[in-house]
Amino acid sequence: MGGPTVTFEQAVAKYDPVLGLEVHVELNTETKMFCGCPTTFGGAPNSQVCPVCLGLPGSLPVVNADAVASAMRIGLALNCRIAPWSRFARKNYFYPDMPKNYQISQYDEPIAVDGYLDVDVEGETYRIGIERAHMEEDTGKSLHMGGSTGRIHGADYSLVDYNRAGIPLIEIVTKPITGTGDKAPEVARAYVTALRDLLRALQVSDVRMEQGSLRCDANVSLRPSPEAVFGTRTETKNVNSLRSVERAVRYEIERQADVLSAGGVIVQETRHWHEDTGRTTAGRTKEEAEDYRYFPEPDLAPVAASEEWVEQLRATLPEPPAQRRARLQQDWGFTDLEMRDVVNAEAVDLIEQTVAAGASAAGAKKWWLGELARRSNDSGVALADLGIDPDGVARIETLIAQGSLNDKMARQVIDGILAGEGTADEVVASRGLVLVSDDGALTAAVDEAIAANPDVADKVRGGKVAAVGALVGAVMKATRGQADAGRVRELLLEKLGVEG
């Protein structure tokens, strides 16, 4: 089946898109939402379970106080009102990865309501209204085995891992996002990006989309004009990368415009995003709230957040990420383009820590966005997980500034650190990396280079000073890259009687 015949430009010219984004955030508490099981990612299947998170008869949930505090801090950071009284509810539905056949969530009395988050897209600020942020527990994970897609269709059998069941979740639901026009996909991505940065600053989640600790459900509908009533929406589930959020919204706008332009109707349903094809496919008909038969959770007392508690948590909020980036950009003297590159590389924290360890901002950026970014891309490993920390990068930059290393030798030091050979100083010592800048040690190599390349030497003497680069290269090769290239150039020009 082919894709939409209506282009994105045609779609937004004819219809007004309306978005609604639901972001699920796994909290980084040590234990689950309602029991004492650990929340470590990557454990052996069904090794982090107990009667409570397995929903066994007679087991009773107990609320994780740290999770409640994290939920309140998230709400405050999103400019929400913290409810003085909120309670849990049972959300009834039947999936193999739901051991109780209901999920403990919140319904009509959530912990945080009526907030906003401002995001910038191409110099324009969009205020994204927050309807609610509520607490709930995550489900387990179904693994469909034997098929080619990892989905249930075509699988030979399915397995269920309940390690994730019961992990604390915060679901953050926006109000309808209108007025974005052709910027709708970019606004969706910018919102999830800003939300991820805020959650990371709060230190309430590791927000690793590739591991599922941050997941986005994107609701999209179209209407003929901004004055018309909202159209029928679809919900694309569990989109797990920033790029995919943008692509999924763009595709769904095109697809719905294609259906409507052909005289069809949009079915209210969930849809699955396929990263490989860049398309969504139909899932199930979307339920309404009454289909879940919500009712108050009888085994849990309501959460009563006192004003004193709320203010104590408000005092723990960090500097807002956008404000912090603006301050750091000014401190570092970066241009808007340079700062954008730093943000896109997710290197703000790394550079800040490297500068704090003694490096210059320019030097820190040079290594994190240059050599280390290249290695990160080649290996598919995030910069922060590469195996070299800000202290190590700062020490390398210091050794360069002291004249003990050049850039080529610094890359060898990085090789050693990543290979587990120790600290920067230990790698320098074990590999014998010493920058040769003593004139006595360099003179012989300079004389040999001139003698071996008489034609080049004559060009330099004749005024083609740029040709000295070939002689510098010869000296660097002879010294295995350990000569001070700047001093080598000076000596060569002196020997050849030319002013640099």
Side-chain angles (χ1 to χ4, degrees), residues 24 28 40-41 61 65 80 100 104 125-126 128 133 168 190 193 212 234 250 307 311 335 350 391 436 485:
H24 295 82
N28 58 4
T40 308
F41 179 80
C80 290
K100 300 187 293 290
I104 301 179
T125 299
Y126 294 85
I128 309 301
T193 302
T234 62
R250 181 179 295 272
E307 289 186 17
E311 293 309 312
T335 65
L350 296 169
D391 287 342
V436 180

PDB file of all heavy atoms in Angstrom, residues 24 28 40-41 61 65 80 100 104 125-126 128 133 168 190 193 212 234 250 307 311 335 350 391 436 485:
ATOM      1  N   HIS A  24       5.065   9.769  28.667  1.00  0.00           N
ATOM      2  CA  HIS A  24       5.221   8.903  29.832  1.00  0.00           C
ATOM      3  C   HIS A  24       6.684   8.926  30.264  1.00  0.00           C
ATOM      4  O   HIS A  24       7.579   8.689  29.444  1.00  0.00           O
ATOM      5  CB  HIS A  24       4.806   7.465  29.510  1.00  0.00           C
ATOM      6  CG  HIS A  24       3.350   7.319  29.194  1.00  0.00           C
ATOM      7  ND1 HIS A  24       2.833   7.595  27.946  1.00  0.00           N
ATOM      8  CD2 HIS A  24       2.304   6.939  29.961  1.00  0.00           C
ATOM      9  CE1 HIS A  24       1.529   7.370  27.954  1.00  0.00           C
ATOM     10  NE2 HIS A  24       1.175   6.981  29.169  1.00  0.00           N
ATOM     11  N   ASN A  28      13.296   7.590  38.232  1.00  0.00           N
ATOM     12  CA  ASN A  28      14.524   6.859  38.570  1.00  0.00           C
ATOM     13  C   ASN A  28      14.605   6.507  40.055  1.00  0.00           C
ATOM     14  O   ASN A  28      15.686   6.482  40.635  1.00  0.00           O
ATOM     15  CB  ASN A  28      15.759   7.663  38.150  1.00  0.00           C
ATOM     16  CG  ASN A  28      15.804   9.040  38.792  1.00  0.00           C
ATOM     17  OD1 ASN A  28      14.953   9.385  39.616  1.00  0.00           O
ATOM     18  ND2 ASN A  28      16.784   9.844  38.415  1.00  0.00           N
ATOM     19  N   THR A  40      16.130  -1.481  38.391  1.00  0.00           N
ATOM     20  CA  THR A  40      17.312  -1.491  37.530  1.00  0.00           C
ATOM     21  C   THR A  40      16.957  -1.958  36.122  1.00  0.00           C
ATOM     22  O   THR A  40      16.309  -3.001  35.945  1.00  0.00           O
ATOM     23  CB  THR A  40      18.395  -2.408  38.113  1.00  0.00           C
ATOM     24  OG1 THR A  40      18.632  -2.043  39.474  1.00  0.00           O
ATOM     25  CG2 THR A  40      19.681  -2.294  37.320  1.00  0.00           C
ATOM     26  N   PHE A  41      17.416  -1.215  35.126  1.00  0.00           N
ATOM     27  CA  PHE A  41      17.154  -1.580  33.734  1.00  0.00           C
ATOM     28  C   PHE A  41      18.076  -2.719  33.307  1.00  0.00           C
ATOM     29  O   PHE A  41      19.245  -2.757  33.661  1.00  0.00           O
ATOM     30  CB  PHE A  41      17.386  -0.374  32.813  1.00  0.00           C
ATOM     31  CG  PHE A  41      17.160  -0.673  31.353  1.00  0.00           C
ATOM     32  CD1 PHE A  41      15.881  -0.693  30.839  1.00  0.00           C
ATOM     33  CD2 PHE A  41      18.230  -0.938  30.506  1.00  0.00           C
ATOM     34  CE1 PHE A  41      15.664  -0.966  29.492  1.00  0.00           C
ATOM     35  CE2 PHE A  41      18.020  -1.212  29.168  1.00  0.00           C
ATOM     36  CZ  PHE A  41      16.734  -1.231  28.664  1.00  0.00           C
ATOM     37  N   PRO A  61      -0.690  -2.768  47.876  1.00  0.00           N
ATOM     38  CA  PRO A  61       0.284  -1.748  47.448  1.00  0.00           C
ATOM     39  C   PRO A  61       0.564  -0.736  48.554  1.00  0.00           C
ATOM     40  O   PRO A  61      -0.285  -0.460  49.402  1.00  0.00           O
ATOM     41  CB  PRO A  61      -0.419  -1.077  46.269  1.00  0.00           C
ATOM     42  CG  PRO A  61      -1.881  -1.184  46.613  1.00  0.00           C
ATOM     43  CD  PRO A  61      -2.033  -2.515  47.316  1.00  0.00           C
ATOM     44  N   ALA A  65       6.965   7.164  48.443  1.00  0.00           N
ATOM     45  CA  ALA A  65       6.963   8.597  48.767  1.00  0.00           C
ATOM     46  C   ALA A  65       7.902   9.388  47.863  1.00  0.00           C
ATOM     47  O   ALA A  65       7.613  10.541  47.505  1.00  0.00           O
ATOM     48  CB  ALA A  65       7.347   8.798  50.231  1.00  0.00           C
ATOM     49  N   CYS A  80       2.615  24.018  37.034  1.00  0.00           N
ATOM     50  CA  CYS A  80       1.304  23.469  37.367  1.00  0.00           C
ATOM     51  C   CYS A  80       0.892  23.851  38.792  1.00  0.00           C
ATOM     52  O   CYS A  80       1.721  24.210  39.631  1.00  0.00           O
ATOM     53  CB  CYS A  80       1.317  21.941  37.271  1.00  0.00           C
ATOM     54  SG  CYS A  80       1.449  21.273  35.597  1.00  0.00           S
ATOM     55  N   LYS A 100      -2.391  -7.535  36.976  1.00  0.00           N
ATOM     56  CA  LYS A 100      -3.597  -7.403  37.792  1.00  0.00           C
ATOM     57  C   LYS A 100      -4.859  -7.260  36.940  1.00  0.00           C
ATOM     58  O   LYS A 100      -5.971  -7.247  37.472  1.00  0.00           O
ATOM     59  CB  LYS A 100      -3.483  -6.171  38.710  1.00  0.00           C
ATOM     60  CG  LYS A 100      -2.309  -6.216  39.677  1.00  0.00           C
ATOM     61  CD  LYS A 100      -2.348  -5.063  40.682  1.00  0.00           C
ATOM     62  CE  LYS A 100      -2.139  -3.711  40.054  1.00  0.00           C
ATOM     63  NZ  LYS A 100      -0.749  -3.522  39.571  1.00  0.00           N
ATOM     64  N   ILE A 104      -2.950   0.789  38.272  1.00  0.00           N
ATOM     65  CA  ILE A 104      -3.183   1.848  39.258  1.00  0.00           C
ATOM     66  C   ILE A 104      -2.679   3.153  38.656  1.00  0.00           C
ATOM     67  O   ILE A 104      -1.493   3.305  38.356  1.00  0.00           O
ATOM     68  CB  ILE A 104      -2.478   1.547  40.589  1.00  0.00           C
ATOM     69  CG1 ILE A 104      -2.973   0.231  41.176  1.00  0.00           C
ATOM     70  CG2 ILE A 104      -2.726   2.691  41.582  1.00  0.00           C
ATOM     71  CD1 ILE A 104      -2.301  -0.158  42.482  1.00  0.00           C
ATOM     72  N   THR A 125       8.221  31.754  19.955  1.00  0.00           N
ATOM     73  CA  THR A 125       7.904  31.027  21.187  1.00  0.00           C
ATOM     74  C   THR A 125       6.480  30.507  21.136  1.00  0.00           C
ATOM     75  O   THR A 125       5.534  31.247  20.822  1.00  0.00           O
ATOM     76  CB  THR A 125       8.077  31.946  22.413  1.00  0.00           C
ATOM     77  OG1 THR A 125       9.434  32.379  22.484  1.00  0.00           O
ATOM     78  CG2 THR A 125       7.733  31.198  23.697  1.00  0.00           C
ATOM     79  N   TYR A 126       6.334  29.235  21.446  1.00  0.00           N
ATOM     80  CA  TYR A 126       5.016  28.594  21.535  1.00  0.00           C
ATOM     81  C   TYR A 126       4.802  28.167  22.983  1.00  0.00           C
ATOM     82  O   TYR A 126       5.646  27.470  23.559  1.00  0.00           O
ATOM     83  CB  TYR A 126       4.934  27.366  20.620  1.00  0.00           C
ATOM     84  CG  TYR A 126       5.014  27.698  19.150  1.00  0.00           C
ATOM     85  CD1 TYR A 126       6.250  27.848  18.518  1.00  0.00           C
ATOM     86  CD2 TYR A 126       3.859  27.848  18.382  1.00  0.00           C
ATOM     87  CE1 TYR A 126       6.337  28.147  17.166  1.00  0.00           C
ATOM     88  CE2 TYR A 126       3.942  28.146  17.027  1.00  0.00           C
ATOM     89  CZ  TYR A 126       5.177  28.294  16.424  1.00  0.00           C
ATOM     90  OH  TYR A 126       5.262  28.584  15.091  1.00  0.00           O
ATOM     91  N   ILE A 128       3.034  25.809  25.355  1.00  0.00           N
ATOM     92  CA  ILE A 128       2.326  24.532  25.333  1.00  0.00           C
ATOM     93  C   ILE A 128       1.624  24.363  26.680  1.00  0.00           C
ATOM     94  O   ILE A 128       2.277  24.244  27.725  1.00  0.00           O
ATOM     95  CB  ILE A 128       3.295  23.363  25.091  1.00  0.00           C
ATOM     96  CG1 ILE A 128       4.173  23.636  23.865  1.00  0.00           C
ATOM     97  CG2 ILE A 128       2.509  22.063  24.948  1.00  0.00           C
ATOM     98  CD1 ILE A 128       3.432  23.850  22.582  1.00  0.00           C
ATOM     99  N   ALA A 133      -0.535  16.314  35.012  1.00  0.00           N
ATOM    100  CA  ALA A 133       0.543  15.338  35.177  1.00  0.00           C
ATOM    101  C   ALA A 133       0.096  14.411  36.289  1.00  0.00           C
ATOM    102  O   ALA A 133      -0.238  14.862  37.393  1.00  0.00           O
ATOM    103  CB  ALA A 133       1.850  16.042  35.546  1.00  0.00           C
ATOM    104  N   PRO A 168       7.499   3.332  38.638  1.00  0.00           N
ATOM    105  CA  PRO A 168       6.746   4.590  38.711  1.00  0.00           C
ATOM    106  C   PRO A 168       6.761   5.341  37.384  1.00  0.00           C
ATOM    107  O   PRO A 168       7.807   5.522  36.762  1.00  0.00           O
ATOM    108  CB  PRO A 168       7.486   5.384  39.790  1.00  0.00           C
ATOM    109  CG  PRO A 168       8.248   4.375  40.575  1.00  0.00           C
ATOM    110  CD  PRO A 168       8.599   3.289  39.610  1.00  0.00           C
ATOM    111  N   ALA A 190      10.141  20.008  19.474  1.00  0.00           N
ATOM    112  CA  ALA A 190      10.717  20.983  20.400  1.00  0.00           C
ATOM    113  C   ALA A 190      10.139  20.812  21.796  1.00  0.00           C
ATOM    114  O   ALA A 190      10.854  20.947  22.801  1.00  0.00           O
ATOM    115  CB  ALA A 190      10.465  22.401  19.886  1.00  0.00           C
ATOM    116  N   THR A 193      11.619  17.687  23.358  1.00  0.00           N
ATOM    117  CA  THR A 193      13.024  17.991  23.667  1.00  0.00           C
ATOM    118  C   THR A 193      13.131  18.839  24.924  1.00  0.00           C
ATOM    119  O   THR A 193      13.935  18.554  25.821  1.00  0.00           O
ATOM    120  CB  THR A 193      13.683  18.726  22.495  1.00  0.00           C
ATOM    121  OG1 THR A 193      13.600  17.921  21.308  1.00  0.00           O
ATOM    122  CG2 THR A 193      15.146  19.028  22.796  1.00  0.00           C
ATOM    123  N   GLY A 212      13.160   3.370  26.619  1.00  0.00           N
ATOM    124  CA  GLY A 212      11.747   3.431  26.968  1.00  0.00           C
ATOM    125  C   GLY A 212      11.437   4.212  28.225  1.00  0.00           C
ATOM    126  O   GLY A 212      10.282   4.200  28.665  1.00  0.00           O
ATOM    127  N   THR A 234      -6.246  10.759  15.909  1.00  0.00           N
ATOM    128  CA  THR A 234      -5.593   9.460  16.048  1.00  0.00           C
ATOM    129  C   THR A 234      -4.469   9.614  17.066  1.00  0.00           C
ATOM    130  O   THR A 234      -3.985  10.717  17.320  1.00  0.00           O
ATOM    131  CB  THR A 234      -5.009   8.967  14.718  1.00  0.00           C
ATOM    132  OG1 THR A 234      -4.001   9.894  14.278  1.00  0.00           O
ATOM    133  CG2 THR A 234      -6.080   8.836  13.659  1.00  0.00           C
ATOM    134  N   ARG A 250       4.359  14.599  11.207  1.00  0.00           N
ATOM    135  CA  ARG A 250       4.322  15.028   9.809  1.00  0.00           C
ATOM    136  C   ARG A 250       3.583  14.003   8.941  1.00  0.00           C
ATOM    137  O   ARG A 250       2.722  14.364   8.118  1.00  0.00           O
ATOM    138  CB  ARG A 250       5.749  15.225   9.284  1.00  0.00           C
ATOM    139  CG  ARG A 250       5.836  15.707   7.843  1.00  0.00           C
ATOM    140  CD  ARG A 250       7.301  15.888   7.430  1.00  0.00           C
ATOM    141  NE  ARG A 250       7.925  16.943   8.212  1.00  0.00           N
ATOM    142  CZ  ARG A 250       7.911  18.224   7.882  1.00  0.00           C
ATOM    143  NH1 ARG A 250       7.312  18.611   6.759  1.00  0.00           N
ATOM    144  NH2 ARG A 250       8.504  19.119   8.637  1.00  0.00           N
ATOM    145  N   GLU A 307       0.776  22.698  51.891  1.00  0.00           N
ATOM    146  CA  GLU A 307       1.460  23.851  51.306  1.00  0.00           C
ATOM    147  C   GLU A 307       2.932  23.873  51.706  1.00  0.00           C
ATOM    148  O   GLU A 307       3.799  24.245  50.907  1.00  0.00           O
ATOM    149  CB  GLU A 307       0.774  25.145  51.752  1.00  0.00           C
ATOM    150  CG  GLU A 307      -0.599  25.363  51.129  1.00  0.00           C
ATOM    151  CD  GLU A 307      -1.168  26.722  51.484  1.00  0.00           C
ATOM    152  OE1 GLU A 307      -0.381  27.594  51.929  1.00  0.00           O
ATOM    153  OE2 GLU A 307      -2.384  26.916  51.319  1.00  0.00           O
ATOM    154  N   GLU A 311       6.071  23.911  49.070  1.00  0.00           N
ATOM    155  CA  GLU A 311       7.085  24.961  49.050  1.00  0.00           C
ATOM    156  C   GLU A 311       8.484  24.402  49.298  1.00  0.00           C
ATOM    157  O   GLU A 311       9.472  24.913  48.746  1.00  0.00           O
ATOM    158  CB  GLU A 311       6.741  26.050  50.055  1.00  0.00           C
ATOM    159  CG  GLU A 311       5.484  26.839  49.698  1.00  0.00           C
ATOM    160  CD  GLU A 311       5.511  27.356  48.264  1.00  0.00           C
ATOM    161  OE1 GLU A 311       6.550  27.938  47.858  1.00  0.00           O
ATOM    162  OE2 GLU A 311       4.499  27.167  47.544  1.00  0.00           O
ATOM    163  N   THR A 335      28.781  31.664  19.980  1.00  0.00           N
ATOM    164  CA  THR A 335      27.744  32.229  19.119  1.00  0.00           C
ATOM    165  C   THR A 335      26.480  31.377  19.232  1.00  0.00           C
ATOM    166  O   THR A 335      26.501  30.272  19.790  1.00  0.00           O
ATOM    167  CB  THR A 335      28.192  32.255  17.655  1.00  0.00           C
ATOM    168  OG1 THR A 335      28.348  30.889  17.200  1.00  0.00           O
ATOM    169  CG2 THR A 335      29.513  33.000  17.499  1.00  0.00           C
ATOM    170  N   LEU A 350      28.592  18.148  29.712  1.00  0.00           N
ATOM    171  CA  LEU A 350      29.972  17.688  29.581  1.00  0.00           C
ATOM    172  C   LEU A 350      30.936  18.866  29.475  1.00  0.00           C
ATOM    173  O   LEU A 350      32.006  18.882  30.110  1.00  0.00           O
ATOM    174  CB  LEU A 350      30.104  16.783  28.356  1.00  0.00           C
ATOM    175  CG  LEU A 350      29.315  15.471  28.419  1.00  0.00           C
ATOM    176  CD1 LEU A 350      29.307  14.778  27.068  1.00  0.00           C
ATOM    177  CD2 LEU A 350      29.897  14.543  29.481  1.00  0.00           C
ATOM    178  N   ASP A 391      36.884  15.330  33.520  1.00  0.00           N
ATOM    179  CA  ASP A 391      38.195  15.516  34.148  1.00  0.00           C
ATOM    180  C   ASP A 391      39.313  15.075  33.211  1.00  0.00           C
ATOM    181  O   ASP A 391      40.362  15.724  33.121  1.00  0.00           O
ATOM    182  CB  ASP A 391      38.278  14.735  35.461  1.00  0.00           C
ATOM    183  CG  ASP A 391      37.463  15.379  36.570  1.00  0.00           C
ATOM    184  OD1 ASP A 391      37.122  16.571  36.445  1.00  0.00           O
ATOM    185  OD2 ASP A 391      37.159  14.686  37.566  1.00  0.00           O
ATOM    186  N   VAL A 436      58.437  16.967  21.809  1.00  0.00           N
ATOM    187  CA  VAL A 436      59.827  17.408  21.638  1.00  0.00           C
ATOM    188  C   VAL A 436      59.818  18.872  21.204  1.00  0.00           C
ATOM    189  O   VAL A 436      59.399  19.201  20.098  1.00  0.00           O
ATOM    190  CB  VAL A 436      60.561  16.548  20.595  1.00  0.00           C
ATOM    191  CG1 VAL A 436      61.999  17.039  20.439  1.00  0.00           C
ATOM    192  CG2 VAL A 436      60.524  15.082  20.994  1.00  0.00           C
ATOM    193  N   ALA A 485      55.101  21.319  16.406  1.00  0.00           N
ATOM    194  CA  ALA A 485      55.042  21.756  15.004  1.00  0.00           C
ATOM    195  C   ALA A 485      55.325  23.244  14.850  1.00  0.00           C
ATOM    196  O   ALA A 485      55.965  23.670  13.873  1.00  0.00           O
ATOM    197  CB  ALA A 485      53.671  21.419  14.415  1.00  0.00           C
TER     198      ALA A 485
END
